[in-house]
Amino acid sequence: YLQVVANNSNNLPLTRRDDPELGKMVSSLTSEEYARKSAAFVPADVRVIGGNFTKYGRVWDLPTSDEYNASDGAQEPGRSYGGACSNAMLKVLYDAANDATDVAQEMAVSDALFDDDEDESEAADTSEQIDLNRQSTYASIDLNDHSNPSTITWADLLRKMKAEIREIEYAQAPTITTTRKMDMNKPFSLVPENFSATTGKKRALLVGCNYTNIAGAELKASHDDVRSMKDYIVNVHGFTEDSELMTVLIDDDTHKHPTHWNITEAFKKLSEESQPGDAVFVQFSGHGGRVLDSPIDAEAESYDEVIVPSDYATSGLVRDTLIFKTLLAPMRYGVTVTILIDCCDTGMMLDLPYAWTTRNERSDAVAKMTHNDDFSFVRFLKVVKTLY
């Protein structure tokens, strides 16, 4: 891995993560050269969905890690639901599945009405089949072990999530960042089309922080977000609750807590055990945001995106550079990784080389991924150097 990165470490683009004065990326790379560097730095096929906070000002106005206080972002006006992305995403996906089932039901009824040779018993059988189809929308749908029951595209998923998030008054724009330039108009799925249960496994890490022991920072729904998402990935996408393949970190009385150490170790375990052909899903629900300083480069006038573990007051924040170091850089080529980062109020984005956002998107525009102006190869090259 280090040798591959070294071979692709020349002529790196510069972005505003390297210099806040830069408006857009400065690069002389062709699209193919950019794609090769992306694959070199992050070998796995990674997709991250998160909420891009729409009210950030100048980078210098951000708090440092010492100044960060989770209680500053515990509530939106009149709201205290934890994050917004998990609920919005699940509502959109279930609504889309329900709509698809209704269409299938109407078509089946129409076929029955116009079939002159069908007798009453056959009509009854059709009715039973229609009901079964509706139930199977929410039951375990595992088509040839690759599980892609969704009829909604990635772009429409994020667009409809935006409408749901606006309705509950969060200042976030759903955004996706990736390591490959993907077609946003393909059906959403957590599992690749070529997934095979004989050679691949479905792995999951679900993290929910309610911060019940931190006065003023408490959230109400992060645990519920995890439980709801677990039901979805198990029943719809065929993930297993086997503890060897699914890790759940929740700050309650029954689960291992989402401390800095436990989250980091879970990232390491996931990247070490995942093999080519595997499908991986990671969810974080809790506090997150940006801090001004970066331990990777003390002189850089930029910021780190962070998620907040349950013991952040004593153990510190989990920075995007640490996520890259423990989860993304070691993840093998051939693994498909989907990450949902659901942070209340300020959101959090784990920036990767490609991005598409709903923030200023026109309703009539074609969804197309572009190079991400907020991703820095340079800062992550510094992270890679700390691996060895």
Side-chain angles (χ1 to χ4, degrees):
Y1 172 77
L2 182 62
Q3 184 60 55
V4 172
V5 170
N7 293 341
N8 288 272
S9 62
N10 62 317
N11 195 26
L12 295 176
L14 295 177
T15 69
R16 52 194 174 209
R17 292 296 289 275
D18 306 305
D19 181 354
E21 297 295 338
L22 292 176
K24 291 187 176 183
M25 180 183 297
V26 177
S27 174
S28 60
L29 300 177
T30 65
S31 296
E32 291 76 13
E33 290 170 337
Y34 188 90
R36 281 199 297 271
K37 291 186 186 299
S38 176
F41 276 70
V42 189
D45 183 358
V46 184
R47 302 83 64 91
V48 179
I49 296 176
N52 196 337
F53 189 50
T54 59
K55 296 183 179 180
Y56 277 128
R58 298 175 304 169
V59 65
W60 299 279
D61 295 332
L62 295 169
T64 65
S65 56
D66 292 335
E67 296 169 339
Y68 181 86
N69 187 346
S71 61
D72 292 340
Q75 292 185 338
E76 282 278 354
R79 308 284 180 173
S80 183
Y81 295 154
C85 287
S86 293
N87 279 336
M89 180 175 173
L90 288 175
K91 184 177 186 304
V92 171
L93 288 171
Y94 280 131
D95 284 350
N98 196 41
D99 291 344
T101 302
D102 287 343
V103 171
Q105 182 180 16
E106 290 173 4
M107 292 178 63
V109 170
S110 177
D111 289 343
L113 289 175
F114 289 97
D115 188 350
D116 294 334
D117 296 327
E118 185 174 36
D119 58 25
E120 291 182 1
S121 63
E122 291 173 328
D125 291 341
T126 302
S127 178
E128 291 176 9
Q129 182 63 41
I130 292 168
D131 187 60
L132 176 62
N133 289 338
R134 174 177 290 278
Q135 292 301 318
S136 67
T137 302
Y138 302 100
S140 179
I141 305 174
D142 200 353
L143 309 176
N144 296 324
D145 293 319
H146 59 261
S147 304
N148 187 6
S150 180
T151 58
I152 192 170
T153 66
W154 287 88
D156 284 343
L157 171 63
L158 266 66
R159 287 168 176 148
K160 292 183 178 181
M161 283 176 61
K162 179 181 180 179
E164 295 291 337
I165 290 172
R166 279 187 171 181
E167 186 174 336
I168 57 175
E169 301 173 9
Y170 277 81
Q172 296 182 21
T175 300
I176 182 170
T177 66
T178 65
T179 57
R180 308 289 186 268
K181 189 174 184 179
M182 61 182 283
D183 184 354
M184 293 296 297
N185 299 299
K186 285 188 175 182
F188 165 83
S189 180
L190 300 181
V191 181
E193 294 179 3
N194 60 352
F195 180 81
S196 170
T198 59
T199 58
K201 295 181 179 179
K202 299 173 185 177
R203 306 175 187 272
L205 169 61
L206 309 176
V207 183
C209 298
N210 272 355
Y211 311 98
T212 52
N213 295 324
I214 304 177
E218 303 94 332
L219 297 177
K220 295 179 180 179
S222 294
H223 297 178
D224 293 336
D225 288 342
V226 167
R227 295 187 185 99
S228 298
M229 189 59 68
K230 183 174 76 170
D231 288 343
Y232 172 74
I233 66 172
V234 169
N235 294 327
V236 177
H237 289 274
F239 282 72
T240 176
E241 296 184 64
D242 187 329
S243 60
E244 291 297 315
L245 297 174
M246 177 180 287
T247 299
V248 179
L249 303 178
I250 294 178
D251 48 351
D252 61 8
D253 295 331
T254 59
H255 293 84
K256 184 181 290 187
H257 281 205
T259 62
H260 190 289
W261 173 266
N262 287 339
I263 291 174
T264 304
E265 290 302 303
F267 285 158
K268 291 178 181 178
K269 179 177 183 288
L270 202 55
S271 61
E272 289 169 0
E273 295 182 353
S274 297
Q275 300 295 323
D278 287 357
V280 174
F281 178 73
V282 179
Q283 177 197 18
F284 175 83
S285 183
H287 285 302
R290 292 177 179 176
V291 294
L292 178 59
D293 52 344
S294 171
I296 294 298
D297 188 350
E299 297 180 358
E301 292 182 327
S302 188
Y303 59 87
D304 283 351
E305 299 271 7
V306 298
I307 58 175
V308 182
S310 59
D311 64 340
Y312 87 96
T314 56
S315 299
L317 304 166
V318 177
R319 300 170 183 266
D320 55 359
T321 48
L322 182 60
I323 299 174
F324 185 89
K325 181 177 180 178
T326 58
L327 178 67
L328 300 185
M331 191 68 73
R332 292 174 176 85
Y333 176 83
V335 180
T336 301
V337 184
T338 306
I339 302 174
L340 175 66
I341 301 180
D342 186 7
C343 295
C344 69
D345 299 5
T346 55
M348 187 275 194
M349 277 311 306
L350 181 60
D351 284 304
L352 295 173
Y354 297 94
W356 183 76
T357 180
T358 61
R359 181 166 184 171
N360 297 313
E361 196 229 1
R362 302 194 315 272
S363 59
D364 60 340
V366 176
K368 293 180 66 175
M369 301 208 82
T370 60
H371 296 172
N372 186 1
D373 290 328
D374 290 320
F375 176 79
S376 168
F377 283 101
V378 174
R379 67 192 290 266
F380 281 116
L381 179 60
K382 296 171 184 175
V383 177
V384 171
K385 291 179 178 178
T386 68
L387 291 172
Y388 298 90

